[in-house]
Amino acid sequence: MLKGKHIILGICGGIAAYKSAYLLRLFIKAGAEVQVVITPAGKEFITPVTLSALSGKPVISEFFTANTGSWNSHVDLGLWADAMVIAPATASTIGKMANGIADNMLVTTYLSAKAPVFVAPAMDLDMFAHPSTRRNLQLLQEYGNHIIEPASGELASHLVGKGRMEEPENILKAVDEYFTKSQDLAGRHILITSGPTYEKIDPVRFIGNYSSGKMGYALAEECAARGADVTLISGPVSIKAKHAAIKTINIESAQEMYNASVAEFPQCDAAIMCAAVADYTVENQASHKIKREYDEIPVIRLKKNPDIAAALGSMKQDGQLLVGFALETDNERENALAKLQRKNLDFIVLNSLNEPGAGFMTDTNKVTIIGSDGTCQEYGLKDKKLVARDIVDTLTGKLS
Ligand code: C5P
């Protein structure tokens, strides 16, 4: 899977830097093109001459090349890369990455990188165990980076504990597995509904909700990154899909979302119903703006909206999967399971309103995935991008 891939190998100033030469060699052998970016301290541990000889490219360390004045563009590098692998990653660089301190070429390149980033920490056991290192690694993980945990063993200090950089073969394996898995939705077509719906009261007012669309958009990006063609049916939100394989259909009302979903579902392998659809719409929608000067207080009469998930559940053919979401305040699991059965879903993602940091408008979420057989898998509080990864992992495991 690494053949032809563009990899930035970031090297920091730690004794494990000597192993980076071997890792570089493995990447080259696997057919990848490697650009080394090294921190100033990294050069104290391994010479750029060794690394440029192995990679066949000049090593980048400074923002400018002193003798020519030419500029090393971290933005171009970030766009060029299919992956960035930082091995060894020292406590200092991990701290800078977690906090956006871009005072060298490596961290600047990291901040510009659009590709997945792998971080292989290497440090003394006490540095690794320090709460600041733990917190910074946790932050990097929440930002969507892949942490390749260090192994336990004898360290350069001769102390024994956790902090040894993972062996180059295993780092290569982790990156290779990522690329193998990363295309597990190739040739699939996934439908995703996302965001709120707006139900018009009059030409300038509506009934809506606080859904930001972040969870649905994260799901769309994750499916597209893993090779799927995605149709994203989105209510009004302030974010935009980035991946070229995502076709966005913008709608406002639940009825419009229903029409688009019913038309698209027959062409899809799976649908993920992530939208916060209004349960009711306005029956007596006014064609002109309702004026304050009216003598009588206007009455807004409601009628039921169609249940899109349930409609797709009744259309579902063999081989198609349907995923729903549930936001519950009481008897969470029982209610979610009942909803799964009522709507003929294959699994349901329960997010609790009782959890701080979960649900509407946040960047994080905490979910439990409930299968049609009632099995529950609980996950911790994570960035919505990582929650999307867990949900899509469950989906790919069930696709035939
Ligand atoms: O019934 P409830 O609204 O709690 O169900 C939530 C699930 O059903 C979500 O997956 C949501 O996207 C979907 N839904 C829908 N159409 C509706 C209401 C909910 O697709 N009208």
Side-chain angles (χ1 to χ4, degrees):
M1 283 309 288
L2 289 171
K3 198 165 180 344
K5 290 277 188 284
H6 294 172
I7 294 178
I8 299 172
L9 177 58
I11 302 177
C12 308
I15 188 65
Y18 79 92
K19 291 191 194 169
S20 308
Y22 190 54
L23 176 60
L24 167 53
R25 186 88 191 93
L26 292 177
F27 278 136
I28 298 284
K29 265 192 173 166
E33 226 181 286
V34 182
Q35 174 63 62
V36 174
V37 180
I38 191 164
T39 63
K43 287 190 284 188
E44 304 291 333
F45 290 85
I46 183 160
T47 95
V49 178
T50 305
L51 299 165
S52 68
L54 290 173
S55 65
K57 287 180 195 294
V59 167
I60 297 175
S61 183
E62 314 298 335
F63 292 108
F64 297 95
T65 307
N67 52 350
T68 61
S70 66
W71 181 54
N72 289 318
S73 169
H74 52 90
V75 177
D76 289 349
L77 257 182
L79 291 172
W80 172 84
D82 295 308
M84 181 170 186
V85 181
I86 302 167
T90 55
S92 158
T93 292
I94 289 167
K96 288 180 185 180
M97 288 165 69
N99 294 286
I101 301 171
D103 67 349
N104 65 36
M105 194 61 194
L106 191 153
V107 181
T108 314
T109 304
Y110 158 71
L111 290 177
S112 298
K114 296 241 185 292
V117 178
F118 298 81
V119 180
M123 64 197 76
D124 187 57
L125 75 165
D126 293 317
M127 292 176 86
F128 186 69
H130 195 280
S132 65
T133 311
R134 307 304 314 150
R135 194 201 58 200
N136 289 333
L137 279 170
Q138 170 77 27
L139 277 175
L140 289 186
Q141 193 159 28
E142 281 172 17
Y143 297 156
N145 300 295
H146 305 259
I147 311 297
I148 302 175
E149 285 291 317
S152 288
E154 189 178 342
L155 305 168
S157 59
H158 300 301
L159 295 172
V160 176
K162 194 166 177 183
R164 269 170 76 99
M165 186 175 86
E166 184 50 280
E167 291 306 324
E169 288 82 358
N170 291 337
I171 297 177
L172 177 101
K173 202 164 144 222
V175 180
D176 188 64
E177 271 173 8
Y178 173 84
F179 282 116
T180 309
K181 183 176 140 189
S182 74
Q183 290 306 298
D184 57 2
L185 283 176
R188 302 288 193 173
H189 193 164
I190 313 287
L191 173 68
I192 297 171
T193 65
S194 183
T197 61
Y198 284 2
E199 309 301 324
K200 272 202 174 106
I201 298 169
D202 70 13
V204 295
R205 303 179 181 96
F206 60 85
I207 298 172
N209 61 66
Y210 290 123
S211 170
S212 61
K214 283 179 182 166
M215 192 63 246
Y217 276 64
L219 281 162
E221 297 291 348
E222 176 69 14
C223 290
R226 289 164 76 155
D229 282 323
V230 178
T231 301
L232 175 64
I233 303 176
S234 175
V237 291
S238 59
I239 48 177
K240 274 197 160 58
K242 296 193 186 85
H243 201 292
I246 303 172
K247 175 180 96 175
T248 309
I249 300 176
N250 292 304
I251 53 84
E252 269 203 6
S253 66
Q255 186 63 49
E256 287 167 4
M257 184 174 272
Y258 172 88
N259 295 345
S261 302
V262 166
E264 294 287 330
F265 188 51
Q267 293 81 258
C268 294
D269 297 287
I272 308 176
M273 307 276 92
C274 192
V277 186
D279 291 324
Y280 300 97
T281 191
V282 179
E283 191 175 47
N284 54 338
Q285 209 183 89
S287 52
H288 299 284
K289 185 180 170 196
I290 300 171
K291 296 242 191 292
R292 185 214 284 268
E293 295 79 30
Y294 284 164
D295 287 340
E296 274 179 48
I297 305 278
V299 173
I300 298 169
R301 247 191 349 266
L302 299 177
K303 63 174 181 187
K304 262 197 168 163
N305 264 330
D307 187 325
I308 305 163
L312 299 196
S314 61
M315 293 165 64
K316 193 170 73 172
Q317 301 289 317
D318 280 354
Q320 280 187 307
L321 289 181
L322 186 59
V323 180
F325 274 71
L327 191 70
E328 302 290 334
T329 48
D330 53 293
N331 292 332
E332 298 176 312
R333 291 190 180 189
E334 293 79 356
N335 286 337
L337 190 58
K339 199 166 289 180
L340 175 151
Q341 282 154 356
R342 200 166 57 242
K343 300 185 189 217
N344 193 21
L345 307 173
D346 294 279
F347 65 90
I348 192 158
V349 183
L350 169 67
N351 31 189
S352 167
L353 260 185
N354 304 326
E355 292 285 349
F360 277 164
M361 293 202 295
T362 60
D363 286 332
T364 50
N365 206 359
K366 185 170 186 310
V367 303
T368 303
I369 296 182
I370 304 174
S372 50
D373 55 359
T375 48
C376 291
Q377 171 81 46
E378 260 187 62
Y379 297 86
L381 186 71
K382 304 178 182 194
D383 191 283
K384 282 183 174 166
K385 288 184 196 131
L386 296 178
V387 176
R389 203 177 284 167
D390 292 334
I391 296 168
V392 177
D393 281 348
T394 308
L395 181 77
T396 53
K398 289 181 191 287
L399 272 172
S400 52

